[in-house]
Amino acid sequence: MESVVETATLIKRAHWLIKLRWFAAVCVAGGVFFSSNILAVSLNAGHLYFIAGLLAVYNATMLWMLNHYSKKDGDSSIVAVKRLINIQIFIDLLMLTMLLHFSGSIENPFVFYYAFHMIIASILLSEKESCFHAASAITFFGLLLFLEYARFLPHHCLNGFTGRCSFQSGYYVLGMYFVFATALCLIVYMANYVSTMLKRTEQSLLKANKALCQKDRIKDEYVLRVTHD
């Protein structure tokens, strides 16, 4: 019974993650249109629209796979859905890095949207898995900064939004990256701590409820026997 409840809860949370991604795809497309046409910010609109469309197609694929895995029974369903959530978060981090590359990278304040994925991973997944995704985010963003700083990748400045391009300022890049990495680590640590405490409290309440139900059943049997006698 507990396995069925756990599976249903996990599937519900996985659907919630997919709903958030639909919202993200719309916000990316709308944000690009507003920034480039209304605010006159210099953006690689074509690349960003393509990523928004790719995000929608990828999300539809994840929805189909989730519905397919949801039909499995027992522990196999839990394992399959957890694996799917891990894949989604990893690809989300990769696509966010791509979006940042074409929209200013270190100059883009949306860089801290990595934090949302850390919180989601800590809620839906184990501590080990959420730490893996934190390491992935730190690695992705670090590689992006290094490749742009070394000019292996072109840097796309946000002209019209920031006064200057900051990707060649070594101290600024290192400082920003240090704050970014430590912030993600702290977020994962705190989110995992709170999530673990809540799970332990939930388990203790379930055990207490089970014990009370058992005692209530024994009491009913005793009352029936006394009444019968």
Side-chain angles (χ1 to χ4, degrees):
M1 180 64 181
E2 291 181 2
S3 178
V4 174
V5 174
E6 183 182 358
T7 303
T9 302
L10 190 62
I11 291 173
K12 184 178 180 181
R13 290 176 176 177
H15 277 290
W16 168 72
L17 180 59
I18 287 175
K19 288 179 181 178
L20 286 179
R21 198 174 293 108
W22 287 126
F23 178 72
V26 172
C27 285
V28 169
V32 171
F33 178 82
F34 181 79
S35 298
S36 58
N37 292 281
I38 307 300
L39 300 180
V41 177
S42 178
L43 290 173
N44 285 269
H47 290 91
L48 294 172
Y49 282 131
F50 174 78
I51 295 174
L54 187 63
L55 185 62
V57 173
Y58 142 69
N59 201 39
T61 305
M62 291 297 107
L63 178 60
W64 178 84
M65 293 178 67
L66 177 60
N67 290 332
H68 173 71
Y69 288 139
S70 300
K71 297 176 183 178
K72 293 185 177 182
D73 297 325
D75 294 337
S76 61
S77 179
I78 295 177
V79 172
V81 173
K82 280 188 176 180
R83 186 185 298 117
L84 188 63
I85 291 174
N86 273 296
I87 292 171
Q88 288 182 74
I89 294 178
F90 185 82
I91 297 176
D92 284 347
L93 294 173
L94 187 59
M95 296 195 73
L96 177 57
T97 306
M98 292 170 60
L99 283 169
L100 289 172
H101 169 59
F102 290 110
S103 58
S105 61
I106 199 170
E107 300 153 14
N108 193 331
F110 288 101
V111 65
F112 289 102
Y113 271 42
Y114 283 105
F116 291 131
H117 291 84
M118 300 304 101
I119 295 172
I120 291 171
S122 299
I123 292 173
L124 300 181
L125 304 170
S126 66
E127 182 177 354
K128 183 178 179 180
E129 290 168 327
S130 58
C131 288
F132 167 78
H133 290 300
S136 299
I138 292 170
T139 302
F140 288 157
F141 188 59
L143 280 174
L144 176 62
L145 295 183
F146 172 75
L147 292 174
E148 289 189 354
Y149 181 79
R151 297 188 182 275
F152 290 114
L153 286 177
H155 178 76
H156 305 279
C157 293
L158 289 178
N159 296 322
F161 180 75
T162 57
R164 64 186 182 89
C165 292
S166 305
F167 76 104
Q168 280 289 299
S169 177
Y171 288 119
Y172 176 78
V173 171
L174 284 176
M176 183 70 173
Y177 183 65
F178 174 77
V179 173
F180 170 82
T182 53
L184 289 195
C185 291
L186 286 172
I187 288 170
V188 169
Y189 171 76
M190 291 186 289
N192 272 307
Y193 179 80
V194 172
S195 180
T196 300
M197 292 298 102
L198 289 174
K199 287 176 182 177
R200 288 178 180 175
T201 302
E202 183 181 9
Q203 289 174 358
S204 63
L205 289 173
L206 288 172
K207 289 180 180 178
N209 184 61
K210 188 176 181 180
L212 286 173
C213 289
Q214 187 175 2
K215 290 179 180 180
D216 190 59
R217 181 179 56 80
I218 294 172
K219 181 199 71 174
D220 291 340
E221 290 177 359
Y222 176 76
V223 171
L224 285 174
R225 287 177 183 174
V226 171
T227 304
H228 179 267
D229 293 342

